[in-house]
Amino acid sequence: MSFERKLNESLKWKKILQITTERPDNRNYDGIVVCIAKEFIILAQEIDYVFDGFVLIPRSKIAYFEEREEQEFSYQLLLDSGAIQQLSPPDWIGDCRTYRDVFDHILKQHPWMTVNWVCPRCDDIHVDTALLKDSDNHSLSVELYNRAGHSLGEAGWVVSKIFSMEFESGYTNKFGYFVDKRRVGESKKS
């Protein structure tokens, strides 16, 4: 079955697919398609039988997709628990057609994300938590943070180097909320 047909079936019937990104990232993402755009797709990410945020995957970084027995089991379990029926992504996600559409909404809503990207200097894959500062349709300006919540400074990413971008997940929401809260507390002390 064609990739486009599978994407549309996932979107229409809320079927779980597994999308694998190409090397060097080579990660699997399970979820339900909530947006199909010319340059990317967005999944409602399923991890351990729970929907946890969204992941944007550029089409150019998709190596392959699968709908195996494990995804069907996840679908049946989530259907039985009511999670499929309760899945209700924000309306704006389905309306996005460009990277800029996505970035503008993330910037307005909750500008924290986790991004898998390839460093142009070393060609290694990096996974960073970032605060989105600005964007256009081809690049992002972000402030990077380590896992201890300390800023590593600002950076710029070209969209073509991004393999995936997770947003509105439990991790990014908690991390961002706490770092924002701590930053406000520190600015009051000054």
Side-chain angles (χ1 to χ4, degrees):
M1 187 177 285
S2 79
F3 183 55
E4 291 303 315
R5 187 168 168 198
K6 276 294 183 190
L7 290 177
N8 283 297
E9 281 183 3
S10 177
L11 181 67
K12 181 177 181 180
W13 302 109
K14 294 188 175 181
K15 296 292 279 184
I16 295 175
L17 289 179
Q18 182 176 82
I19 305 290
T20 302
T21 55
E22 65 183 16
R23 294 186 185 281
D25 187 45
N26 202 40
R27 291 179 194 256
N28 296 326
Y29 298 94
D30 287 1
I32 293 175
V33 174
V34 293
C35 177
I36 302 172
K38 182 179 176 183
E39 295 183 281
F40 58 84
I41 63 167
I42 298 176
L43 297 177
Q45 186 170 223
E46 179 264 319
I47 300 172
D48 298 331
Y49 311 117
V50 175
F51 290 110
D52 186 21
F54 304 94
V55 61
L56 178 149
I57 305 170
R59 286 176 175 259
S60 64
K61 304 301 185 203
I62 296 173
Y64 56 92
F65 72 96
E66 293 185 289
E67 184 182 32
R68 298 186 326 232
E69 191 176 11
E70 293 89 344
Q71 285 75 42
E72 180 59 27
F73 179 81
S74 293
Y75 173 75
Q76 293 298 328
L77 187 151
L78 292 165
L79 190 63
D80 184 66
S81 71
I84 296 272
Q85 299 87 328
Q86 294 170 4
L87 178 64
S88 181
D91 290 337
W92 68 263
I93 288 180
D95 295 336
C96 291
R97 295 294 163 251
T98 67
Y99 287 109
R100 182 68 185 254
D101 293 340
V102 176
F103 301 149
D104 284 351
H105 281 285
I106 290 173
L107 200 54
K108 289 177 200 168
Q109 305 293 324
H110 186 74
W112 290 90
M113 61 184 76
T114 300
V115 179
N116 293 347
W117 62 287
V118 171
C119 175
R121 289 188 297 257
C122 65
D123 279 338
D124 288 340
I125 195 80
H126 294 264
V127 180
D128 287 309
T129 301
L131 173 64
L132 180 60
K133 298 285 199 171
D134 196 15
S135 70
D136 60 31
N137 208 35
H138 305 288
S139 62
L140 304 170
S141 174
V142 297
E143 185 172 353
L144 298 176
Y145 284 81
N146 67 16
R147 295 199 43 98
H150 300 292
S151 174
L152 302 173
E154 293 196 12
W157 287 329
V158 177
V159 170
S160 64
K161 294 292 182 181
I162 293 174
F163 279 76
S164 67
M165 184 179 79
E166 176 186 311
F167 59 97
E168 292 187 19
S169 67
Y171 172 81
T172 58
N173 288 345
K174 289 174 189 169
F175 185 96
Y177 173 78
F178 185 74
V179 170
D180 286 343
K181 181 178 169 183
R182 188 171 67 184
R183 212 174 13 191
V184 167
E186 288 172 358
S187 68
K188 287 181 180 178
K189 291 178 186 177
S190 316

